[in-house]
Amino acid sequence: MWERSLVLSAPGKVILHGEHAVVHGKVALAVALDLRTFLRLRPCGEGRVCVRLPGVGVVRSWDTPRLQALRRGFAGERWEEEIAAHLDTLKEFAGIAAGASAPESLATLAFLYMCLAISAKYGDVPSVDILVWSELPTGAGLGSSAAYAVCLAAALLTACGAISCPLKEGESTARWTEEELTLINSWAFQGERVIHGNPSGVDNAVGTWGGALRYQSGEITPLKRVPMLRILLTNTKVPRSTKVLVAGVKEKILKFPAIMNPVLDSIDAISQECQSVLEAMPANPSPEYYPVLEELFDINQHHLNVIGVGHPSLDRLCRVTASHGLHSKLTGAGGGGCGITLLRPDTSPLAVEAAKQDLCACGFECWETTIGAPGVTLHHSSSLNAEVLHALSES
Amino acid sequence: MWERSLVLSAPGKVILHGEHAVVHGKVALAVALDLRTFLRLRPCGEGRVCVRLPGVGVVRSWDTPRLQALRRGFAGERWEEEIAAHLDTLKEFAGIAAGASAPESLATLAFLYMCLAISAKYGDVPSVDILVWSELPTGAGLGSSAAYAVCLAAALLTACGAISCPLKEGESTARWTEEELTLINSWAFQGERVIHGNPSGVDNAVGTWGGALRYQSGEITPLKRVPMLRILLTNTKVPRSTKVLVAGVKEKILKFPAIMNPVLDSIDAISQECQSVLEAMPANPSPEYYPVLEELFDINQHHLNVIGVGHPSLDRLCRVTASHGLHSKLTGAGGGGCGITLLRPDTSPLAVEAAKQDLCACGFECWETTIGAPGVTLHHSSSLNAEVLHALSES
């Protein structure tokens, strides 16, 4: 029987450099975004498992015996290999239509899948009430589904005893061991597979380990030590299709290979230069690194325009921030979506506020946050701000 | 004794692609701009040579005997090799201060140098009155000094009988033979040396042959057949230093070689792709080529921003023309200066007028003209428009 209340969180992610080029075998740098998804786990002692996702309007609960019966119907050992087959059964069980792709359907399905698969492997998930609330907008390429899956994996693995609960009396936050994080990450990846079909694994790795990581040709390598950098994250709210943008880039490369391939090489070199700078910064926190990071932003933004994933809204974002002496680039798929603006340690709150106001006047949504944030973390309630406490106190 | 009146003209030039990259061994495409410099040659029968350059406020004339005496003071055969030594003497003769670099001083000096050197080699230049007037703004990177030198070379070589006067009765325009053009070009290059010290020879080659040419590592190759393309040429009137811009590009390449060298490779590929398109167009004048030319403009403009030669005025120029569905890039040194906007054959005069008005509202100066224009040309007065006739009729 589970008796503790837990709060844990996982960060979102942004691509710092290498979006699109990564599809063509180049390096991408992904960094943890300190807009976080929070999960509160409470005992509920009634032989039920309950999940509430106010952000997508989900409130569901199931009797534990029904879940156990469902689980026994599956072949015990091959959960990871047989997601597709299991999902059809789970959809029927949860009353979700076969082709449903709405966030609430996928989130419910991922929860059920992870809950049953983790129970099958490590013993029953006890009767708990899970509430998830996020600072991240969904569908904006900020890794909100991965942050959700990382939180679920950490919470469910902790609740069924597969990993420890490292938060000690008197501590405000705690993290798991490297081995436990590896387990959390592997289950979060399974959750991502339920939601995305064929995820790269980058988003859940960033959500689990935080900081920054390098991704190339399927290989994910965490960067050793990276600084926390202040940023503005701006959502232009211009909708776009990642699939269409990726196809457009491919078409341009096929049309003008001699012109486009060097651009991908240049983007690759930008990612590598940026990695060097980030790894040098913690040991030598000199202000001289910031103009280099800013210049890399500017250059890559031009390159992203060249490969055809810019958008007038992103041009405007760059122009508005430039008028405040700040440097921006799109992040992720482009064609609208989000942009990231670097702030220096000494950028004044007034200057930031002025830039935010101008961005909001364009109809954009804007957050002041940091990148290089910690990965999945357990929290004592004293470490949570009022907004998070309020969101998690709703029942 | 010279008895005919002649009018001849030479075009300006714009760099279509490859500015700056050409400094680093890449291909540049230069094209003749149909903003022309006109020269009127008239007999004056008084034992005098007279030159009038109303654009730079020069009215000078010299007694033929004094010029002959000056010429005899020089070693006869080595004019080309000994420009520097001769120039000091010529400056003293013309009353120009030793370090003078104003356009009127350099134009006067180039005239005197070419007049004496051509006389020394091909016999006396007869008593003539030369008036030069240009549609080209000076100092805007549009090859105005080369157009001037080409006109002078053609006029002086014709007047002293070194080349023919190919304009026949009843013809409105005429051009010289290939051999004569080669001679004109070589003397125009000498004039350019007087004005610029160490010119590449591209501008005078474009002024002489017209059309388009490819330039790489000192080698100039005329393109076979190229179409005349409608353009807007816009002068942002933002002053800049080519020297400082070239040095800035070099610095960026040294700072980020792995990032910048691929950008130069991509620009090189753009020039080559553009050359292929231009050479394919005359045989197959399909409208499908225009979107390609436009896309190459857009990509190169981004690259020029990456290598650091953009300017907010040029961004604005591109934005204004984009709002009319037109594609632009900077041309030449960048950092202000001129931009070029491609017009399609079917772009309506109304659309062009609207774009021009918006550009003028930015404080820019704007010409609707063509590129791929003919090189140095003899004109019957019937082939000249009213503005040119008016300018040349002033005495």
Side-chain angles (χ1 to χ4, degrees):
Chain A
M1 169 109 188
W2 184 257
E3 291 184 343
R4 287 186 68 168
S5 265
L6 293 182
V7 175
L8 52 87
S9 74
K13 76 101 197 3
V14 285
I15 302 289
L16 203 54
H17 290 291
E19 49 271 277
H20 287 287
V22 73
V23 177
H24 304 276
K26 308 302 179 188
V27 172
L29 292 184
V31 293
L33 177 71
D34 209 23
L35 297 177
R36 305 180 75 90
T37 295
F38 291 85
L39 182 152
R40 187 198 64 190
L41 179 82
R42 284 205 297 212
C44 73
E46 306 158 35
R48 289 185 78 78
V49 168
C50 179
V51 62
R52 281 177 290 154
L53 314 173
V56 289
V58 167
V59 181
R60 298 294 298 260
S61 71
W62 297 278
D63 290 339
T64 308
R66 275 193 72 207
L67 291 175
Q68 286 166 339
L70 180 66
R71 197 183 80 210
R72 279 191 296 270
F74 291 135
E77 289 304 308
R78 307 191 40 160
W79 280 88
E80 292 91 332
E81 290 77 20
E82 296 180 7
I83 279 192
H86 289 350
L87 286 186
D88 288 342
T89 310
L90 293 182
K91 279 180 189 164
E92 207 186 317
F93 175 78
I96 293 169
S101 65
E104 60 272 23
S105 303
L106 296 174
T108 305
L109 220 48
F111 174 82
L112 268 179
Y113 173 82
M114 290 173 78
C115 184
L116 294 177
I118 286 171
S119 295
K121 198 139 182 178
Y122 306 102
D124 272 333
V125 169
S127 297
V128 287
D129 175 299
I130 284 174
L131 173 70
V132 181
W133 177 83
S134 187
E135 297 167 336
L136 288 160
T138 56
L142 300 176
S144 64
S145 69
Y148 170 67
V150 170
C151 284
L152 275 189
L156 295 170
L157 288 167
T158 303
C160 75
I163 59 177
S164 69
C165 181
L167 189 68
K168 296 199 183 68
E169 200 64 44
E171 286 182 340
S172 63
T173 62
R175 304 200 62 214
W176 285 271
T177 64
E178 198 55 32
E179 204 183 338
E180 289 168 332
L181 289 173
T182 302
L183 194 65
I184 291 171
N185 183 53
S186 72
W187 280 103
F189 181 64
Q190 298 305 321
E192 277 277 84
R193 287 177 70 195
V194 173
I195 298 170
H196 284 302
N198 188 23
S200 69
V202 169
D203 290 10
N204 49 276
V206 171
T208 302
W209 279 285
L213 59 81
R214 173 192 171 106
Y215 178 72
Q216 184 174 30
S217 306
E219 200 179 323
I220 295 171
T221 320
L223 268 58
K224 282 188 201 80
R225 282 176 63 195
V226 293
M228 297 264 280
L229 300 174
R230 295 173 68 197
I231 62 155
L232 287 181
L233 182 82
T234 303
N235 189 351
T236 64
K237 299 196 261 179
V238 173
R240 75 275 183 255
S241 156
T242 301
K243 212 183 204 169
V244 169
L245 288 158
V246 167
V249 172
K250 193 172 171 188
E251 201 178 294
K252 274 207 176 226
I253 296 170
L254 289 172
K255 186 174 171 193
F256 297 127
I259 296 168
M260 291 299 161
N261 283 320
V263 177
L264 298 181
D265 291 340
S266 183
I267 292 175
D268 194 60
I270 290 169
S271 295
Q272 304 204 37
E273 179 72 24
C274 184
Q275 177 179 347
S276 303
V277 170
L278 291 180
E279 292 187 327
M281 285 177 85
N284 172 22
S286 153
E288 82 197 11
Y289 291 115
Y290 289 92
V292 176
L293 292 174
E294 289 169 350
E295 198 170 353
L296 297 179
F297 264 38
D298 292 341
I299 296 171
N300 203 354
Q301 175 62 18
H302 290 305
H303 285 348
L304 289 160
N305 272 313
V306 165
I307 65 174
V309 299
H311 188 270
S313 65
L314 293 164
D315 294 341
R316 192 161 182 209
L317 188 164
C318 291
R319 217 159 53 240
V320 165
T321 57
S323 74
H324 294 274
L326 303 173
H327 300 252
S328 305
K329 67 179 278 288
L330 70 84
T331 177
C338 289
I340 176 173
T341 305
L342 194 68
L343 304 176
R344 296 190 184 195
D346 60 353
T347 305
S348 76
L350 261 151
V352 174
E353 202 44 50
K356 281 174 74 175
Q357 278 191 10
D358 286 358
L359 289 165
C360 290
C362 299
F364 303 155
E365 196 170 9
C366 192
W367 298 265
E368 186 183 352
T369 180
T370 58
I371 52 175
V376 62
T377 299
L378 267 167
H379 295 270
H380 188 271
S381 60
S382 65
S383 73
L384 301 172
N385 69 35
E387 191 191 12
V388 175
L389 281 173
H390 177 73
L392 296 182
S393 71
E394 292 177 15
S395 57
Chain B
M1 170 108 187
W2 185 258
E3 291 184 343
R4 287 186 70 170
S5 264
L6 292 182
V7 175
L8 52 87
S9 73
K13 76 102 195 6
V14 285
I15 302 290
L16 203 54
H17 290 291
E19 48 272 276
H20 287 287
V22 74
V23 177
H24 304 275
K26 308 302 178 187
V27 172
L29 293 183
V31 292
L33 177 71
D34 208 24
L35 296 177
R36 306 180 75 89
T37 293
F38 292 85
L39 183 151
R40 188 198 64 192
L41 179 82
R42 284 205 297 212
C44 72
E46 306 159 35
R48 292 186 76 78
V49 168
C50 179
V51 63
R52 282 177 289 153
L53 314 172
V56 290
V58 168
V59 180
R60 300 291 299 259
S61 71
W62 296 277
D63 289 341
T64 309
R66 276 193 71 207
L67 290 175
Q68 286 165 339
L70 178 66
R71 197 183 80 211
R72 280 191 295 271
F74 291 134
E77 291 302 310
R78 307 191 40 157
W79 280 87
E80 293 90 333
E81 289 76 21
E82 295 180 8
I83 279 192
H86 289 350
L87 286 186
D88 288 341
T89 310
L90 293 182
K91 279 180 189 166
E92 206 186 318
F93 175 79
I96 293 169
S101 65
E104 59 273 25
S105 303
L106 296 173
T108 305
L109 219 50
F111 175 82
L112 269 178
Y113 174 83
M114 290 173 77
C115 185
L116 294 177
I118 286 170
S119 296
K121 199 139 186 178
Y122 307 101
D124 272 333
V125 169
S127 297
V128 288
D129 174 299
I130 284 175
L131 173 70
V132 181
W133 176 83
S134 187
E135 297 168 336
L136 287 161
T138 57
L142 301 175
S144 65
S145 68
Y148 170 68
V150 169
C151 285
L152 275 189
L156 295 170
L157 288 166
T158 303
C160 76
I163 59 177
S164 69
C165 181
L167 190 67
K168 297 197 185 68
E169 201 64 44
E171 285 181 340
S172 62
T173 62
R175 305 201 61 213
W176 285 271
T177 65
E178 197 56 30
E179 204 182 336
E180 289 168 331
L181 290 173
T182 302
L183 194 64
I184 292 171
N185 183 54
S186 72
W187 280 103
F189 181 64
Q190 299 304 321
E192 276 277 85
R193 285 178 71 195
V194 173
I195 298 171
H196 285 301
N198 189 24
S200 69
V202 169
D203 290 11
N204 49 277
V206 172
T208 303
W209 279 285
L213 59 80
R214 173 191 171 107
Y215 178 72
Q216 183 175 31
S217 307
E219 199 178 323
I220 295 171
T221 319
L223 269 58
K224 283 187 199 81
R225 282 175 63 195
V226 293
M228 297 264 280
L229 299 175
R230 295 173 68 196
I231 62 155
L232 287 182
L233 182 81
T234 304
N235 189 350
T236 64
K237 298 196 263 181
V238 173
R240 76 275 182 254
S241 157
T242 302
K243 212 183 206 170
V244 168
L245 288 159
V246 168
V249 173
K250 194 173 170 189
E251 200 178 295
K252 274 206 178 230
I253 295 170
L254 289 172
K255 187 173 169 194
F256 297 127
I259 296 169
M260 291 299 161
N261 283 321
V263 176
L264 298 180
D265 291 340
S266 182
I267 293 175
D268 193 61
I270 289 169
S271 295
Q272 305 205 38
E273 178 72 25
C274 183
Q275 177 180 347
S276 302
V277 170
L278 291 180
E279 292 186 328
M281 284 177 86
N284 172 23
S286 153
E288 81 198 13
Y289 292 115
Y290 288 91
V292 176
L293 292 174
E294 289 169 349
E295 197 169 354
L296 298 179
F297 264 38
D298 292 340
I299 296 172
N300 203 355
Q301 175 63 18
H302 290 304
H303 285 349
L304 289 159
N305 273 313
V306 165
I307 66 174
V309 299
H311 189 271
S313 65
L314 294 164
D315 294 340
R316 191 160 182 210
L317 188 164
C318 291
R319 217 159 52 241
V320 165
T321 57
S323 75
H324 293 275
L326 303 172
H327 299 252
S328 305
K329 69 177 277 288
L330 70 85
T331 178
C338 289
I340 176 174
T341 305
L342 194 68
L343 304 175
R344 297 189 183 196
D346 60 354
T347 305
S348 77
L350 261 151
V352 175
E353 202 43 53
K356 281 174 75 174
Q357 278 191 10
D358 285 357
L359 289 165
C360 291
C362 298
F364 303 154
E365 196 170 9
C366 192
W367 297 266
E368 185 182 353
T369 180
T370 58
I371 52 175
V376 62
T377 300
L378 268 165
H379 297 268
H380 189 271
S381 60
S382 65
S383 73
L384 301 172
N385 70 35
E387 190 191 13
V388 174
L389 282 172
H390 177 74
L392 297 181
S393 70
E394 291 176 16
S395 58

